[in-house]
């Protein structure tokens, strides 16, 4: 079971909202909306995706990483490295 399982419906709701935002941005571009207005919506969609990513990362740390840390050994080290890499990707994006 994944750490986000309990929050799955909330995450899916957020993703549907992001999907709607992205469709709205495409429509704005198609309708030649003022570029600053489009950029504002792109920023909002980006922020919404980042919030989903942060929620997933939090669940991963609370569930998968904490369980592995309790076990110790190479599994714990692997999960810590995996989480560090994921955080690095999030920060760089």
């Amino acid at each position: 079971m994944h750490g986000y399982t309990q929050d799955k419906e909330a995450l899916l709701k957020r993703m549907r909202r992001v999907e709607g935002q992205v469709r709205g941005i495409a429509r704005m571009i198609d309708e030649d909306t003022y570029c600053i207005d489009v950029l504002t919506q792109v920023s909002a969609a980006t922020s919404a995706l980042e919030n989903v990513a942060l929620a997933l990362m939090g669940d991963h740390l609370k569930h998968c990483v904490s369980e592995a840390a309790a076990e110790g050994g190479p599994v714990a080290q692997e999960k810590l490295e995996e989480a560090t890499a994921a955080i690095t990707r999030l920060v760089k994006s």
Side-chain angles (χ1 to χ4, degrees):
M1 178 161 77
H2 299 289
Y4 63 83
T5 301
Q6 292 179 346
D7 300 325
K8 186 175 180 177
E9 286 307 313
L11 289 168
L12 287 171
K13 184 177 178 180
R14 285 181 173 191
M15 289 304 300
R16 285 189 291 273
R17 192 174 306 128
V18 171
E19 184 180 20
Q21 286 178 299
V22 172
R23 280 194 309 270
I25 293 167
R27 188 171 39 257
M28 290 173 80
I29 292 169
D30 186 50
E31 295 171 355
D32 296 322
T33 303
Y34 183 58
C35 53
I36 295 301
D37 294 339
V38 177
L39 289 169
T40 299
Q41 292 306 310
V42 168
S43 178
T46 300
S47 179
L49 277 174
E50 287 172 350
N51 287 332
V52 170
L54 290 172
L56 286 167
M57 179 56 66
D59 287 343
H60 181 67
L61 292 172
K62 287 180 213 167
H63 184 264
C64 301
V65 174
S66 65
E67 281 184 10
E71 278 184 41
V75 172
Q77 186 62 35
E78 178 185 327
K79 289 294 180 187
L80 287 172
E81 289 173 8
E82 181 182 72
T84 300
I87 292 167
T88 300
R89 285 191 305 273
L90 284 173
V91 170
K92 287 184 177 181
S93 63

